[in-house]
Amino acid sequence: PLFHGSGLFSVTHGCAQYLLEQETTIEKQFRWCIAADEVFAQSLIMQSPYKNCLYHFEKSDGNSRYIDWKRREGSSPHTFTIEDYNELMELPEQYCFARKLSDKYIELAERIAEGFRKNVNNR
């Protein structure tokens, strides 16, 4: 059976090793797959012992990434700019990453990093 999900995900070292061991299977079964990055890992993991270790499998925010689809830009999510800084810094702790930041808005990434450094130093 095939499973579909976000191409953005985090895995344990053991799960990463398991996926790497499946290289031949991936090349054979998913070579011609459209959006293979959204199918191969999900399908293999759902048929492995790691299936029982998934976090919020049924929820789109289970990958701990904040993605703003409400302000989508065509088929892509909103690209955060410096104007979004306060919004990003006020996100709940469940989010470890934000998508999508563009390299043309490097000031935003630098400001976020500085905010995190200040928070760590104040603890």
Side-chain angles (χ1 to χ4, degrees):
L2 296 177
F3 292 85
H4 178 268
S6 174
L8 305 174
F9 54 87
S10 302
V11 297
T12 63
H13 179 75
C15 187
Q17 282 183 303
Y18 169 78
L19 289 172
L20 290 171
E21 291 166 2
Q22 307 305 312
E23 181 179 3
T24 304
T25 299
I26 293 167
E27 288 176 352
K28 276 184 174 176
Q29 293 185 355
F30 301 98
R31 181 178 184 156
W32 305 110
C33 180
I34 295 174
D37 64 318
E38 297 178 352
V39 177
F40 85 89
Q42 297 79 351
S43 298
L44 292 171
I45 291 170
M46 287 299 290
Q47 298 173 61
S48 78
Y50 295 98
K51 173 184 177 178
N52 298 321
C53 301
L54 297 176
Y55 172 75
H56 292 298
F57 172 72
E58 71 286 348
K59 295 176 69 180
S60 63
D61 64 350
N63 62 21
S64 299
R65 286 152 176 85
Y66 178 67
I67 304 172
D68 184 350
W69 287 104
K70 292 177 186 160
R71 296 181 284 179
R72 74 180 333 140
E73 297 151 13
S75 62
S76 293
H78 172 66
T79 301
F80 294 104
T81 67
I82 195 69
E83 286 80 26
D84 299 308
Y85 174 78
N86 289 333
E87 173 189 352
L88 294 170
M89 295 307 289
E90 294 172 6
L91 290 172
E93 289 184 11
Q94 75 189 59
Y95 297 110
C96 298
F97 307 95
R99 176 181 184 230
K100 152 179 181 180
L101 280 71
S102 170
D103 59 355
K104 68 180 182 178
Y105 301 114
I106 193 70
E107 179 186 357
L108 174 61
E110 290 172 346
R111 193 164 167 197
I112 290 170
E114 181 60 30
F116 284 124
R117 280 192 288 275
K118 285 180 183 177
N119 285 340
V120 168
N121 291 334
N122 290 332
R123 287 186 183 179

